[in-house]
């Protein structure tokens, strides 16, 4: 990433201090940009996230660009980068902290808003809503539904109480606001998504032709 003049103007060091407020994340500043994290990132093989770049953008204080981009949300929180970092930088936890900061600034991305909405309504971010998953569980000699709110639907109310206590519903502006934001994002992303799908299809065809 080349730091051009326009980007330099946007530099704001406050985000670094906000991240290291959490003493478990103090090693954030020890990153020496070796790129080992990027090299092992499974999400980076399929998507635009480059872990080293995310850490660098955050370290130099380019928070407006970083917090509003899709990059932060492409991490699957697998912790490979953290395990491999020679400087013991808690990369994954830093990404989670940056997502938290982005969420508090109203910048959570559409798919994450949708999962949050699902969590509030069903008690599961990814509920079992298809018979094939229950059948798969049965084939593994498990109960058709896990011992969660799926088996104890009355517990959904408890989940919703905790969410209210923590003000998570307010954080994502649960309700009409979320619906509006999701619809807007969907509209904005439609052409972009078609391009992504076309690129994926092309890649799959190339791989199949090899
Ligand atoms: S592996 Fe660690 S030190 Fe290397 S770039 Fe990533 S965070 Fe920085
Ligand atoms: S935790 Fe995120 S950034 Fe790190 S390797 Fe996994 S997907 Fe990549």
């Amino acid at each position: 990433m080349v730091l051009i003049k326009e980007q330099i103007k946007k530099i704001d060091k406050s985000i670094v201090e906000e991240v290291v407020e959490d003493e478990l994340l103090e090693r954030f500043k020890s990153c020496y940009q070796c790129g080992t994290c990027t090299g092992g990132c499974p999400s980076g093989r399929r998507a635009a996230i480059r872990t080293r770049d995310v850490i660098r953008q955050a370290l130099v204080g380019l928070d407006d660009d970083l917090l509003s981009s899709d990059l932060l949300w492409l991490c699957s929180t697998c912790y490979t980068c953290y395990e491999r970092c020679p400087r013991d930088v808690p990369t994954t936890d830093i990404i989670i902290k940056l997502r938290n900061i982005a969420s508090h600034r109203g910048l959570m991305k559409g798919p994450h808003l949708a999962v949050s909405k699902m969590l509030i309504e069903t008690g599961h971010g990814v509920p079992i809503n298809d018979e094939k998953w229950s059948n798969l569980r049965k084939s593994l000699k498990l109960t058709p539904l896990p011992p969660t709110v799926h088996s104890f639907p009355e517990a959904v109310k408890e989940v919703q109480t905790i969410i209210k206590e923590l003000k998570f519903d307010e954080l994502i502006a649960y309700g009409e606001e979320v619906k509006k934001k999701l619809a807007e994002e969907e509209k904005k992303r439609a052409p972009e998504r078609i391009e992504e799908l076309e690129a994926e299809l092309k890649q799959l065809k190339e791989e199949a032709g090899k």
Side-chain angles (χ1 to χ4, degrees):
M1 183 185 65
V2 182
L3 278 179
I4 55 171
K5 255 189 198 164
E6 282 311 303
Q7 284 179 312
I8 290 171
K9 278 188 213 154
K10 292 188 223 159
I11 283 178
D12 170 6
K13 281 284 177 196
S14 67
I15 196 171
V16 181
E17 303 314 321
E18 216 172 321
V19 171
V20 297
E21 257 173 30
D22 182 340
E23 62 188 49
L24 295 173
L25 303 182
E26 265 175 4
R27 291 200 57 80
F28 180 30
K29 292 182 183 174
S30 310
C31 168
Y32 57 10
Q33 289 289 293
C34 66
T36 307
C37 48
T38 299
C41 174
S43 299
R45 274 178 230 140
R46 287 273 169 198
I49 181 168
R50 300 290 175 263
T51 323
R52 180 189 65 85
D53 216 20
V54 168
I55 299 297
R56 185 178 181 210
Q57 285 192 51
L59 270 177
V60 299
L62 283 170
D63 47 311
D64 282 346
D65 285 352
L66 180 60
L67 296 180
S68 56
S69 81
D70 286 343
L71 295 180
L72 285 181
W73 308 91
L74 297 173
C75 162
S76 63
T77 63
C78 70
Y79 281 87
T80 308
C81 50
Y82 190 179
E83 279 174 8
R84 295 185 182 177
C85 174
R87 300 284 286 167
D88 203 20
V89 176
T91 37
T92 317
D93 294 334
I94 289 167
I95 290 173
I96 292 171
K97 174 85 183 198
L98 291 167
R99 283 180 181 179
N100 289 344
I101 296 172
S103 301
H104 281 278
R105 295 189 190 177
L107 297 170
M108 191 188 281
K109 294 292 169 191
H112 289 75
L113 280 175
V115 170
S116 306
K117 185 170 169 280
M118 190 72 85
L119 177 72
I120 294 176
E121 287 167 4
T122 71
H124 263 287
V126 186
I128 294 185
N129 51 8
D130 190 320
E131 214 179 311
K132 76 175 173 218
W133 301 118
S134 301
N135 290 338
L136 181 63
R137 285 182 61 84
K138 279 194 259 175
S139 73
L140 295 168
K141 299 200 187 324
L142 295 168
T143 52
L145 292 173
T148 60
V149 286
H150 280 311
S151 304
F152 306 96
E154 65 281 7
V156 174
K157 284 226 158 327
E158 288 177 37
V159 174
Q160 289 168 344
T161 306
I162 295 170
I163 283 171
K164 269 216 154 326
E165 283 292 313
L166 295 172
K167 298 193 191 316
F168 183 67
D169 54 338
E170 286 177 30
L171 179 70
I172 67 157
Y174 177 67
E176 286 311 305
E177 275 298 305
V178 170
K179 278 194 216 145
K180 219 167 79 192
K181 205 165 172 183
L182 285 176
E184 275 168 17
E185 283 223 6
E186 204 52 47
K187 216 163 120 193
K188 225 170 39 198
R189 270 187 55 77
E192 211 178 284
R193 187 67 192 132
I194 291 171
E195 261 178 44
E196 274 172 26
L197 289 172
E198 281 173 350
E200 273 174 36
L201 187 63
K202 193 170 159 221
Q203 195 181 345
L204 287 171
K205 277 185 182 165
E206 281 170 7
E207 281 172 10
K210 275 179 197 166

